Amino acid sequence: SKHYSEDGLWKKIKKYSKKVGSSAVYAILLLYFVLQKGEVPMKNKAIIVGALGYFILPIDLIPDVAPGVGYTDDIGILLAALWQVSIYIDTDVKNQAKEKLKDWFGEDIDTSDADDKLV
């Protein structure tokens, strides 16, 4: 949690959203909005904070600047965290994430593939 902050998360997303793609940003937003829910146990919140903190860190297992593979470790950790907290991803969380995606990427964002995997 020492590497996670909302400000750091938004800055990293803004800077790298085109590189990581809307699907990865959707995963990040799902985790972020689950983190905001009061009923999520601290253990699950710690998993989310750890995954988002790892995404924010400029130094990773695989450097983000490595062409073609720079974000694979980040995405793997985000997906693992999503799997761990998927029970808390409800329609409200999905809608909040989709609205933020629309703000950043426009109306033509399709999240159906990710949503189908979360059911």
Side-chain angles (χ1 to χ4, degrees), residues 40-51:
V40 176
M42 288 305 294
K43 174 187 168 202
N44 295 94
K45 287 186 176 195
I47 290 168
I48 294 169
V49 167

Side-chain angles (χ1 to χ4, degrees), residues 36-106:
Q36 307 309 307
K37 294 176 75 168
E39 69 270 17
V40 176
M42 288 305 294
K43 174 187 168 202
N44 295 94
K45 287 186 176 195
I47 290 168
I48 294 169
V49 167
L52 295 177
Y54 187 83
F55 175 73
I56 295 169
L57 275 174
I59 299 172
D60 314 341
L61 187 59
I62 301 173
D64 293 342
V65 295
V69 296
Y71 289 100
T72 55
D73 59 327
D74 299 77
I75 292 169
I77 288 172
L78 293 169
L79 291 176
L82 273 176
W83 182 79
Q84 290 288 319
V85 301
S86 62
I87 191 169
Y88 302 103
I89 300 173
D90 56 19
T91 303
D92 187 46
V93 166
K94 289 179 185 178
N95 288 339
Q96 289 175 312
K98 288 175 188 178
E99 284 303 311
K100 192 60 105 171
L101 272 182
K102 286 178 187 175
D103 289 346
W104 291 338
F105 291 95

Side-chain angles (χ1 to χ4, degrees), residues 5 8-9 18 22 24 34 38 41 43 45 53 58 63 70 76 80 82 90 117:
S5 71
L9 178 65
K18 298 293 184 192
S22 61
V34 168
K43 174 187 168 202
K45 287 186 176 195
L82 273 176
D90 56 19
K117 292 176 182 168

